[in-house]
Amino acid sequence: MSGSGSYILNDRFLWSGFNFMSNLEITSYDLSDLKFAIVDNNDFSRKLITNILRTFNIRNIYGWNHADAISGLTQHSPEILICDCGFPSNAGLKLVRYIRQPDSPLNSSIAVIMTSSLATAARISQARGAGIDQYLVKPLSPTLVYQNIVRCIESSRPIVRIPDYSGPNRRTIKSCAKPSIQEERRKG
């Protein structure tokens, strides 16, 4: 594989971030000016996601554990949040619910990509009900992270504001009830 850059080993291949885009058949976006936040209690996961985002030339990346997330999100106002669900305490789900409250001081229209090692229909439904935009099952790969970012950009849902919720319309996600490709891959 030619090119320079950092190499990330995932479950299938050794990948160079600079050659990554040529193999995808999805729209290429300049993400360099977007602000991303990563919330995960696992330092390794935060660093892995940070490295994946840097290969897409993203410069504004902030990361915190769940306990420091609200102050970090308030200070930096990112456009996209990649947040671990925080199993077993569900801290990530609680954070998303807080963000989606109408009286929350945080940006309730922020795009949220929830990460988790669990891909059960109940877990996905619970995350959808909290107000996530995308659900990404670990282990993560650069391809899946990029595809989920693109889905947030291209398929943003209308923002609804009702007494107990402010965020993307939760009723327009049809694919969340179906098992993800990753869940099928793990079974087979």
Side-chain angles (χ1 to χ4, degrees), residues 8-79:
I8 298 173
L9 181 64
N10 75 9
D11 59 332
R12 294 192 181 225
F13 56 93
L14 190 63
W15 169 80
S16 170
F18 292 92
N19 295 327
F20 170 66
M21 296 306 294
S22 64
N23 297 327
L24 285 182
E25 294 185 20
I26 57 177
T27 306
S28 177
Y29 287 97
D30 177 6
L31 305 172
S32 60
D33 290 331
L34 289 178
K35 289 185 195 175
F36 282 76
I38 304 162
V39 175
D40 196 314
N41 283 343
N42 185 301
D43 289 336
F44 178 78
S45 290
R46 279 197 316 269
K47 289 175 186 174
L48 175 66
I49 296 169
T50 298
N51 287 335
I52 289 172
L53 294 176
R54 284 190 180 137
T55 62
F56 305 139
N57 296 319
I58 297 168
R59 297 184 300 247
N60 301 307
I61 306 167
Y62 308 97
W64 310 282
N65 59 30
H66 288 101
D68 298 330
I70 292 174
S71 64
L73 291 168
T74 302
Q75 183 178 0
H76 295 286
S77 301
E79 287 94 7

Side-chain angles (χ1 to χ4, degrees), residues 66-130:
H66 288 101
D68 298 330
I70 292 174
S71 64
L73 291 168
T74 302
Q75 183 178 0
H76 295 286
S77 301
E79 287 94 7
I80 297 179
L81 169 63
I82 300 175
C83 181
D84 182 71
C85 74
F87 185 77
S89 69
N90 291 326
L93 289 173
K94 292 173 186 172
L95 174 63
V96 174
R97 285 188 191 107
Y98 177 75
I99 291 170
R100 299 301 190 211
Q101 291 299 309
D103 59 348
S104 173
L106 302 174
N107 176 8
S108 64
S109 62
I110 186 174
V112 178
I113 300 172
M114 179 69 62
T115 63
S116 178
S117 58
L118 299 173
T120 64
R123 173 65 68 175
I124 294 169
S125 178
Q126 189 178 30
R128 183 186 132 209

